[in-house]
Amino acid sequence: MEHFVDSYGSFPFLEKYFSGKFQIEFTKESNFYIYKRNLLPESERKFTLPVLNYTNLLIQPTEPLISDFSTTYLLLLFNNPLVLFPDSEIQCFCDFPISLSFFLQNDRRLVTHIDMLNLSKTKLALYGDSHKGIVCRLWKTEISTEPVSQTLFETGCLELSVVNTSSVRAILTKSVFDFSFIQIFFKGNECKAKARIRVISDQFAETEFLTPSDISETTQSIDLIPTKILSKSKFLMEFGL
Amino acid sequence: MKQLSFISAKFFIELIVIISIFILGLVLLSFLTRKIKFILREKISLQSLNLLIKIIIYGFVVIYVILSLMYFGVKLEGLIVAGGFLSIIVGLATQKVLGNGIAGIFLIIERPIKLGQSLTIQNISGIVEEIRFLSTVIRSFDGPFVRIPNEQVFNSVIINLMENVARRIDYLIDIRYSDDFSKASKVLKNYLDSETNVLAIPEPEIFVEEFASSSVRVHIRFWTPTEKWYQTKNRLLPFLRDELVKNGIEVPFPQVEVKIHNLSDLKES
């Protein structure tokens, strides 16, 4: 039994799932399931899972974590810098990377995270200097006035609220977010999040994730990073805009 | 005689009481220090916590000994004079040990090194396992534990390998004079761009380092997250070379061109 996956969501537990970009398999061997994931055209991951009464496989967009490097910061580099006049506010959109997560749900509705993969390009960048700066996941994007198109299983649409509270003109070429606090909502083959950038001066800004404005009929993704134990949700960009 | 034996018996009992109180004090102190460690474990560093515990224990011992001596009527003025002489003799005899001890105190106060840091001291690279009063213990990257006297640690150049979030990697690759440098640069840049652990910002730099006798020396310079530095540095170089070869750019061997003038004269001789 196999299932073609062309959207995010919950799917009945079967032996095989495939899309044009990945393929996953559960093979039962006595007390275990052998889980095999193939990223097309190459790359394979394989491990064993205990046999429980699995009923569903959840495929959800999650925080843009990278499997081989631990960072919770996302640096959005804008190909078209945004000029902000003093005391102005702009609503705009851009795309952002997501990681794709697989969860197994059992008959008692308990959900277990089993795997995460990145289908979009993973690249790192340094924000600030090598001593006090931070290493972030880099994403080059374009700012748009309309919601941007998304690549299924790779990117989502980020709604940006940019406020210049300073009395000077500022040019926004990049923004850094702590994505531990991102709230991703999905519906069908689309996903979205919202963030605010509050420009304090021409060199400083404060960024944070918010709840998107329209979340009707959408589902919130499961958090991979347990943010409840964290207290500070805002990030201060102090090494330039 | 009877009076003397009475005094010695009284003295003996008092001594036992004082020693018992001392032992009891140490037991209570160990309980107290455990409590202090538990309360302060997240507020101050392990290094400072250990120093505080040591100060409490040694302070208790010193004060208790002085009070006990005073109880038995020992004149401390004489002890101070005797102690002065003794300290000069001990000081001369244990100059090196004291030097290490004082350096140890400065290491704990100034904290140029911390527990768990990866660093290089006197050509020894490893992780700081313990900072003792007289010496520092390093677990070197190739396995063995190395004990370095604190005086040497304090006076040495210390290279901290993990303090910064990013580190640079430099490679030198030779290409032939007949190869196109701009093409080589493009090939190398594309390859570095495909590697996750090579930082995109700061941008990798590729430039001609030198026009050497048999080759053009190309300098490749890029940054990686510190925790990926070692693995990236050891892994990438052969792949960069393969990428160049795949694109028709060869790494040349040293060449010497020999020109002989007046070959006919040479033949005749």
Side-chain angles (χ1 to χ4, degrees):
Chain A
M1 292 281 277
E2 55 185 48
H3 192 290
F4 178 71
V5 182
D6 60 353
S7 67
Y8 304 110
S10 177
F11 305 91
F13 184 67
L14 299 172
E15 283 171 358
K16 199 174 178 183
Y17 302 83
F18 66 99
S19 84
K21 293 166 182 173
F22 63 86
Q23 184 175 301
I24 55 176
E25 276 178 60
F26 296 93
T27 317
K28 196 172 178 185
E29 274 184 19
S30 62
N31 293 331
F32 293 100
Y33 277 115
I34 308 287
Y35 167 82
K36 204 164 100 178
R37 176 252 277 172
N38 284 299
L39 267 187
L40 304 173
E42 50 188 343
S43 165
E44 186 184 274
R45 193 175 180 215
K46 202 174 170 182
F47 52 80
T48 53
L49 290 165
V51 170
L52 294 170
N53 295 325
Y54 300 124
T55 55
N56 288 75
L57 174 82
L58 313 182
I59 301 177
Q60 296 195 356
T62 46
E63 297 98 319
L65 290 161
I66 299 176
S67 48
D68 61 345
F69 183 75
S70 167
T71 180
T72 62
Y73 295 99
L74 175 67
L75 193 158
L76 295 179
L77 196 66
F78 303 123
N79 293 335
N80 47 347
L82 196 63
V83 179
L84 299 159
F85 293 112
D87 296 316
S88 63
E89 188 172 349
I90 295 172
Q91 301 292 325
C92 53
F93 299 87
C94 67
D95 63 351
F96 73 101
I98 53 136
S99 65
L100 191 65
S101 283
F102 303 122
F103 303 86
L104 280 175
Q105 191 178 41
N106 67 11
D107 53 357
R108 288 186 292 158
R109 300 189 70 78
L110 275 174
V111 173
T112 316
H113 181 243
I114 52 163
D115 197 10
M116 182 199 84
L117 56 98
N118 270 288
L119 292 164
S120 52
K121 186 179 178 181
T122 55
K123 197 73 190 150
L124 297 169
L126 179 67
Y127 176 65
D129 60 60
S130 63
H131 183 52
K132 289 183 176 167
I134 47 169
V135 175
C136 318
R137 179 168 179 184
L138 175 72
W139 187 252
K140 290 180 182 173
T141 184
E142 296 262 345
I143 291 176
S144 163
T145 51
E146 297 291 320
V148 292
S149 61
Q150 304 171 31
T151 312
L152 180 63
F153 305 137
E154 292 183 35
T155 61
C157 177
L158 182 67
E159 185 185 341
L160 282 173
S161 166
V162 190
V163 189
N164 182 5
T165 55
S166 75
S167 54
V168 291
R169 195 186 74 140
I171 301 172
L172 195 68
T173 60
K174 55 180 165 279
S175 63
V176 180
F177 298 94
D178 181 354
F179 62 70
S180 311
F181 298 92
I182 194 169
Q183 298 171 49
I184 302 174
F185 290 80
F186 65 90
K187 184 184 157 191
N189 55 10
E190 290 187 340
C191 68
K192 62 179 173 182
K194 186 180 180 178
R196 177 165 56 203
I197 303 168
R198 194 166 71 88
V199 176
I200 304 163
S201 76
D202 58 347
Q203 290 297 313
F204 292 86
E206 194 179 66
T207 64
E208 67 175 323
F209 280 105
L210 307 168
T211 308
S213 40
D214 179 20
I215 51 168
S216 57
E217 293 175 25
T218 59
T219 310
Q220 185 170 3
S221 292
I222 298 167
D223 288 340
L224 296 185
I225 306 167
T227 46
K228 280 178 190 137
I229 58 161
L230 305 169
S231 55
K232 204 183 80 180
S233 64
K234 289 174 184 171
F235 176 76
L236 179 69
M237 290 175 65
E238 52 185 330
F239 300 106
L241 308 178
Chain B
M1 191 68 184
K2 217 175 186 180
Q3 198 184 356
L4 193 69
S5 66
F6 173 72
I7 291 169
S8 61
K10 193 187 163 203
F11 172 78
F12 188 66
I13 290 163
E14 282 174 345
L15 193 67
I16 287 172
V17 170
I18 283 172
I19 291 169
S20 305
I21 294 170
F22 181 69
I23 292 165
L24 189 70
L26 282 181
V27 171
L28 286 174
L29 208 60
S30 105
F31 177 73
L32 185 75
T33 50
R34 240 179 283 161
K35 277 274 169 206
I36 291 172
K37 262 189 179 177
F38 181 75
I39 294 164
L40 298 177
R41 71 192 190 284
E42 280 172 4
K43 290 177 181 146
I44 57 174
S45 70
L46 184 65
Q47 208 168 310
S48 309
L49 198 60
N50 286 340
L51 176 68
L52 182 70
I53 301 294
K54 275 179 192 163
I55 288 171
I56 291 171
I57 292 170
Y58 290 134
F60 169 75
V61 171
V62 169
I63 291 168
Y64 196 84
V65 168
I66 290 170
L67 288 175
S68 305
L69 289 172
M70 283 167 74
Y71 178 80
F72 285 115
V74 177
K75 286 183 179 168
L76 289 177
E77 298 90 338
L79 205 69
I80 289 165
V81 175
F85 278 115
L86 196 69
S87 61
I88 292 168
I89 295 161
V90 172
L92 287 170
T94 60
Q95 209 175 359
K96 283 269 174 201
V97 178
L98 282 175
N100 283 324
I102 290 163
I105 292 168
F106 280 112
L107 280 180
I108 291 165
I109 295 169
E110 201 193 319
R111 298 172 70 193
I113 58 170
K114 290 173 197 157
L115 292 180
Q117 275 184 334
S118 298
L119 36 80
T120 302
I121 305 172
Q122 293 188 334
N123 296 326
I124 298 158
S125 294
I127 297 162
V128 181
E129 282 290 320
E130 205 179 339
I131 303 167
R132 294 178 185 160
F133 186 59
L134 297 178
S135 59
T136 297
V137 179
I138 306 263
R139 176 162 50 90
S140 65
F141 290 134
D142 55 345
F145 274 68
V146 185
R147 177 187 162 278
I148 310 172
N150 278 341
E151 205 177 356
Q152 287 180 34
V153 175
F154 197 73
N155 293 326
S156 297
V157 172
I158 300 168
I159 302 167
N160 199 321
L161 306 172
M162 300 291 279
E163 186 72 6
N164 290 349
V165 294
R167 281 184 72 183
R168 204 178 73 188
I169 293 174
D170 287 69
Y171 289 139
L172 290 172
I173 292 185
D174 289 347
I175 59 169
R176 294 174 302 196
Y177 271 96
S178 55
D179 289 325
D180 179 1
F181 167 72
S182 55
K183 185 185 171 188
S185 168
K186 211 172 172 181
V187 167
L188 294 169
K189 262 203 173 132
N190 285 343
Y191 188 79
L192 293 175
D193 186 46
S194 69
E195 278 289 324
T196 304
N197 290 331
V198 174
L199 298 183
I201 302 170
E203 256 187 82
E205 290 173 276
I206 295 162
F207 55 91
V208 174
E209 170 82 16
E210 186 191 351
F211 292 110
S213 53
S214 314
S215 61
V216 176
R217 187 152 292 167
V218 179
H219 195 136
I220 306 159
R221 185 182 271 180
F222 57 90
W223 290 76
T224 66
T226 303
E227 57 204 84
K228 296 284 175 188
W229 182 85
Y230 183 75
Q231 147 194 355
T232 311
K233 187 176 167 70
N234 287 349
R235 195 175 60 86
L236 275 197
L237 191 57
F239 290 108
L240 288 172
R241 188 242 176 216
D242 288 352
E243 205 60 24
L244 286 174
V245 171
K246 241 190 267 172
N247 286 278
I249 297 158
E250 290 287 335
V251 177
F253 297 104
Q255 293 169 18
V256 179
E257 201 170 298
V258 181
K259 283 187 181 173
I260 302 165
H261 297 282
N262 301 327
L263 190 61
S264 52
D265 293 351
L266 197 70
K267 273 181 186 169
E268 279 169 22
S269 65

